[in-house]
């Protein structure tokens, strides 16, 4: 009987990387990526995302900590751990004088996939490269080269697929078809980890999102929980008289007096109606001279977390 699949596709404990020269790119990162998810690893440029991925890929040596891929410790069996993941790197890294078919066959050979078990044609068709199978890679567009990278990552049918900024500089059409394909793989059981600095992309695709900044993990939550944090607006009410304290009717709303004529009322649109706040203002007897609302989004939460960690 095959062993049960692990609960977590990825388990990182205290992962730290200090590059030669002293740059600490990862600082004590502990993180679980549950099996079966589309997991987003978010962070601004330079946050340490590629460093993390490259440690798993065996391209960067970690300084401290441990990492398990599909239950396999990279220090115990680096080869088996690498076999459990397919990595789509951030940079195009293949020889432009090979064809997609040759590149996939070479990759399959590297991973010890016997010729009879290779799925070259199937994978090329799945990423929309069937008609380019025999074209020199140098003749392919940037988007098509990226598809080749995705195809290469899949030759050994890994249970975990990691995409490092796969849509940076990629046109919308490819983005859509790439995501459709990633969703399809995920629906069939592949755990997908995707790094990006596009929040919208993560919001659209991911079940769970971790955020790193300056090498530190600053959030790790379900998308819904992160978005619940985003369920926050602010009503800014300029009033027509000077106050020294928040009117009693607005205290239950957690209103603050930011200036003698400026009331700021935070609220969750899902729980509080703007009209309830306005009703409370009317009840207090002060007149409204001006009014605006401010909406937060994932961007705000992100900036807030990133600022806290700085
Ligand atoms: P991200 O992928 O989130 O943009 P990286 O992991 O590429 O971030 O980089 C994290 C930090 O480590 C950055 O400050 C980057 O300049 C630095 N860095 C990355 N690779 C190296 C390297 N080979 N040598 C020294 N510093 C590096
Ligand atoms: Mg990167």
């Amino acid at each position: 009987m095959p062993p049960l699949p692990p609960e977590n596709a990825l388990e990182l404990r205290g992962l730290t990387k200090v590059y030669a020269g002293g740059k600490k790119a990862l600082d004590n990162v502990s993180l679980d990526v549950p099996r079966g998810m589309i997991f987003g690893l978010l962070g601004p440029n330079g946050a340490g995302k590629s460093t993390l991925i490259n440690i798993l890929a065996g391209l960067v040596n970690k300084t401290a900590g441990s990492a398990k891929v599909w239950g396999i410790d990279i220090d115990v069996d680096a080869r088996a751990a690498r076999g459990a993941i397919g990595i789509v790197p951030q940079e195009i890294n293949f020889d432009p004088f090979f064809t997609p078919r040759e590149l996939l066959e070479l990759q399959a050979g590297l991973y010890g996939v016997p010729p009879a078990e290779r799925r070259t044609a199937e994978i090329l068709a799945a990423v929309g490269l069937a008609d380019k199978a025999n074209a020199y890679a140098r003749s392919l567009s940037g988007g098509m080269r990226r598809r080749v990278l995705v195809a290469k990552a899949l030759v050994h049918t890994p249970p975990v697929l990691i995409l490092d900024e796969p849509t940076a500089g990629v046109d919308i059409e490819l983005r859509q078809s790439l995501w459709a394909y990633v969703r399809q793989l995920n629906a069939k059981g592949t755990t997908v980890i995707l790094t990006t600095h596009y929040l919208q992309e993560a919001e659209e695709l991911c079940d769970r999102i971790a955020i790193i900044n300056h090498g530190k993990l600053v959030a790790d939550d379900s998308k819904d929980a992160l978005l619940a944090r985003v369920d926050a607006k602010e009503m800014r009410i300029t009033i027509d008289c000077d106050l020294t304290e928040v009117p009693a009717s607005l205290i239950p709303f957690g209103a603050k007096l930011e200036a003698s004529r400026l009331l700021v009322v935070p609220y969750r649109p899902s729980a509080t109606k703007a009209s309830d706040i306005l009703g409370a203002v009317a009840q207090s007897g002060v007149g409204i001279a001006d009014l605006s609302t401010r909406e937060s989004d994932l961007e705000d939460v992100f900036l807030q977390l990133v600022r806290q960690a700085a």
Side-chain angles (χ1 to χ4, degrees):
M1 211 168 66
L4 286 173
E7 190 181 331
N8 293 317
L10 219 58
E11 283 181 14
L12 312 179
R13 293 292 175 270
L15 204 60
T16 297
K17 173 64 188 178
V18 183
Y19 281 107
K23 173 74 199 177
K24 194 181 252 189
L26 283 180
D27 190 355
N28 200 22
V29 170
S30 297
L31 179 67
D32 289 338
V33 174
R35 170 170 51 89
M37 295 207 157
I38 301 185
F39 189 97
L41 182 63
L42 259 63
N45 279 324
K49 305 181 296 296
S50 292
T51 298
L52 193 157
I53 304 306
N54 288 336
I55 289 172
L56 302 176
L59 297 172
V60 167
N61 289 322
K62 63 187 164 57
T63 306
S66 67
K68 275 189 188 172
V69 177
W70 208 245
I72 307 156
D73 192 313
I74 62 169
D75 287 333
V76 174
D77 194 343
R79 196 184 154 84
R82 274 204 302 278
I85 43 176
I87 295 189
V88 182
Q90 186 170 353
E91 308 294 339
I92 309 265
N93 62 351
F94 52 73
D95 187 328
F97 291 98
F98 285 101
T99 69
R101 183 193 305 285
E102 288 167 342
L103 287 164
L104 262 61
E105 288 291 325
L106 277 171
Q107 185 81 355
L110 274 177
Y111 278 90
V113 182
E117 288 171 26
R118 294 187 189 168
R119 303 183 299 130
T120 302
E122 177 198 323
I123 295 171
L124 286 174
V127 299
L129 282 175
D131 58 343
K132 299 287 180 189
N134 300 313
Y136 281 125
R138 71 190 153 102
S139 72
L140 301 179
S141 68
M144 286 181 183
R145 291 180 195 199
R146 203 153 281 280
R147 290 175 200 225
V148 174
L149 288 181
V150 175
K152 271 182 72 189
L154 295 170
V155 295
H156 55 299
T157 324
V160 186
L161 179 66
I162 304 183
L163 303 117
D164 194 3
E165 307 253 8
T167 56
V170 151
D171 58 85
I172 290 178
E173 197 187 331
L174 172 63
R175 197 176 288 208
Q176 294 305 335
S177 67
L178 182 59
W179 291 149
Y181 185 52
V182 162
R183 283 204 181 93
Q184 207 179 310
L185 285 171
N186 179 250
K188 287 191 202 145
T190 305
T191 304
V192 177
I193 299 161
L194 130 93
T195 84
T196 181
H197 62 271
Y198 297 121
L199 293 162
Q200 211 189 333
E201 196 157 275
E203 192 171 328
E204 220 176 285
L205 272 170
C206 300
D207 307 301
R208 198 174 169 86
I209 294 172
I211 301 178
I212 58 171
N213 189 42
H214 297 304
K216 287 200 173 82
L217 190 73
V218 294
D220 170 22
D221 225 329
S222 71
K223 177 175 68 184
D224 292 344
L226 275 177
L227 289 177
R229 294 196 209 179
V230 177
D231 177 31
K233 282 181 89 167
E234 204 178 72
M235 191 181 290
R236 303 176 71 82
I237 308 166
T238 306
I239 51 179
D240 62 0
C241 57
D242 292 303
L243 292 180
T244 53
E245 57 185 19
V246 174
S249 63
L250 280 163
I251 289 172
F253 290 92
K256 286 198 201 89
L257 197 59
E258 272 200 9
S260 63
R261 292 190 175 215
L262 180 61
L263 281 164
V264 176
V265 190
Y267 68 107
R268 295 163 59 98
S270 66
T272 305
K273 290 202 282 287
S275 59
D276 294 343
I277 299 171
L278 294 175
V281 176
Q283 201 187 327
S284 74
V286 300
I288 296 175
D290 198 8
L291 178 76
S292 67
T293 62
R294 209 183 74 83
E295 197 143 2
S296 327
D297 53 19
L298 201 48
E299 195 95 36
D300 277 341
V301 172
F302 182 70
L303 288 174
Q304 191 188 321
L305 290 165
V306 160
R307 228 177 272 132
Q308 276 166 11

